[in-house]
Amino acid sequence: MRLGVLDVGSNTVNLVVAEADSGLPLPVHAWEQRPRLAHRLPADGTIGPDALDRMIVSVREAAAEAHRAGVNRMFAYTTAVVRDAPNRDAVLAQVRKATGVRLGTITGVEDARLTFLAARRWLGWQAGPMLMVDIGGGCLEVAFGRDRLPESAMSLPLGAGRLTREFLDSDPPSPRAVRRLSRYVRERFGEVAARTSWEEPHTSVAASKTFQQLARLTGAPPQRLGPFVPRTVEARALRPWIKRLAVMPSPHRARLKGVSPHRARQILAGAIVAYEVMRRLGISSLRICPWGLREGILLRELESRQPPLADAAWVPWA
């Protein structure tokens, strides 16, 4: 049996297909398209007609790709860019009507828990008590635990795309805007971290494209060398890059090693969030985990044989 996970995010639409019999979320087929739903989104996050049209085209093509790949059951969901939109219900209804695909929504805490599961399985039990950090387009997820699933998980509206829209309205942004954003992240995350009690982790791990690109930007090996090459993000190396990125327009950032053109504008906000979180938690280094939410969803299904979430379910697709 082939399982598919369709992920509609703020920048990309991803389809991952895995064999259920393998017991591991190793992809046998992957497909990606970049409709950039968050591109030129208004401050309140409303999904406009153009973004909706791009979303419908991508989901329709993803569904056709799933059929070609022989997917028997598929789990389709969207993250914060649609979940937090004021017109979410209307958008999801129109996508279902136009494509036949029912997109569910995953809460930030569910996102954190499933991404933690993926990191735990990637690193193994030798990782010990583990802290996981994930910067998405809309939210920041943090989770901690000693077991398969975390004991505590949180999600905050500190995603790189969201903060770029709300704080960095020029390209490059003004020094005042950058200072304002740094102060906001420091205060917002600090308020939550102060109320959360975690023991010192044995392993601190980062999952997400944002962290992968920050790792490469600060000297980690390139992705072409494969997922098993160790990679880290070092706070000491990241800090000077914030100042450098702040004075660069997006086209210049897109020429830097590791920074993709469609994430160039929001990489500054991502760097600020990463640094402030590491500083507040006293973390000098984060290990990069190539697995994330999609692998966590597959693992949950492969290990439990139960639908992992309430608002989106595995559905027959053959």
Side-chain angles (χ1 to χ4, degrees), residues 113-129:
R113 289 175 59 81
L114 290 167
T115 304
F116 182 95
L117 170 62
R120 171 62 77 193
R121 290 296 184 246
W122 179 266
L123 293 172
W125 295 109
Q126 71 271 17

Side-chain angles (χ1 to χ4, degrees), residues 114-305:
L114 290 167
T115 304
F116 182 95
L117 170 62
R120 171 62 77 193
R121 290 296 184 246
W122 179 266
L123 293 172
W125 295 109
Q126 71 271 17
M130 190 175 74
L131 178 75
M132 187 283 302
V133 185
D134 178 358
I135 301 173
C139 294
L140 161 73
E141 277 82 41
V142 183
F144 173 83
R146 305 171 187 82
D147 210 332
R148 172 174 169 268
L149 292 173
E151 297 157 24
S152 60
M154 67 173 67
S155 178
L156 300 171
L158 297 176
R162 185 196 300 264
L163 294 179
T164 299
R165 294 193 303 272
E166 293 179 356
F167 288 87
L168 308 178
D169 57 356
S170 60
D171 187 16
S174 67
R176 183 169 178 266
V178 175
R179 289 194 299 270
R180 182 168 165 257
L181 173 55
S182 297
R183 183 169 60 251
Y184 175 79
V185 174
R186 189 160 52 246
E187 293 174 352
R188 184 75 174 84
F189 183 71
E191 290 173 1
V192 176
R195 299 195 302 267
T196 306
S197 177
W198 291 315
E199 69 179 72
E200 185 175 350
H202 179 72
T203 303
S204 298
V205 59
S208 70
K209 289 291 186 182
T210 295
F211 272 114
Q212 290 177 17
Q213 296 195 8
L214 290 174
R216 178 66 184 130
L217 183 65
T218 55
Q223 294 297 315
R224 69 175 180 273
L225 298 182
F228 299 106
V229 176
R231 297 175 177 87
T232 61
V233 175
E234 309 290 332
R236 184 173 60 181
L238 182 58
R239 184 177 183 181
W241 271 105
I242 294 175
K243 292 183 179 180
R244 296 173 197 169
L245 292 169
V247 298
M248 291 183 189
S250 296
H252 290 187
R253 295 178 196 164
R255 299 188 195 116
L256 298 171
K257 59 183 180 182
V259 179
S260 59
H262 69 285
R263 294 180 187 272
R265 185 141 192 269
Q266 68 184 49
I267 195 68
L268 170 59
I272 289 171
V273 173
Y275 178 74
E276 293 297 342
V277 168
M278 294 175 77
R279 191 173 74 90
R280 180 63 179 80
L281 296 179
I283 298 170
S284 61
S285 178
L286 284 164
R287 293 178 61 178
I288 300 299
C289 175
W291 281 1
L293 176 58
R294 291 186 292 274
E295 289 79 9
I297 291 171
L298 285 168
L299 280 163
R300 180 70 178 265
E301 171 67 8
L302 292 170
E303 293 179 2
S304 69
R305 295 294 181 182

Side-chain angles (χ1 to χ4, degrees), residues 4-10 12-16 37 55 59 62 74-83 88 92 95 101-108 110-112 114-115 134 141 292-298 308-315:
V5 173
L6 178 60
D7 173 352
V8 179
S10 58
T12 60
V13 172
N14 286 277
L15 172 69
V16 175
L37 301 182
M55 183 177 175
V59 172
M74 188 165 75
F75 187 95
Y77 68 95
T78 183
T79 52
V81 65
V82 175
R83 181 188 70 219
R88 176 191 67 185
L92 295 178
V95 170
V101 177
R102 177 184 179 270
L103 290 174
T105 55
I106 291 182
T107 69
E110 289 167 334
D111 187 330
L114 290 167
T115 304
D134 178 358
E141 277 82 41
L293 176 58
R294 291 186 292 274
E295 289 79 9
I297 291 171
L298 285 168
L309 306 167
D311 192 38
W314 291 93
V315 296

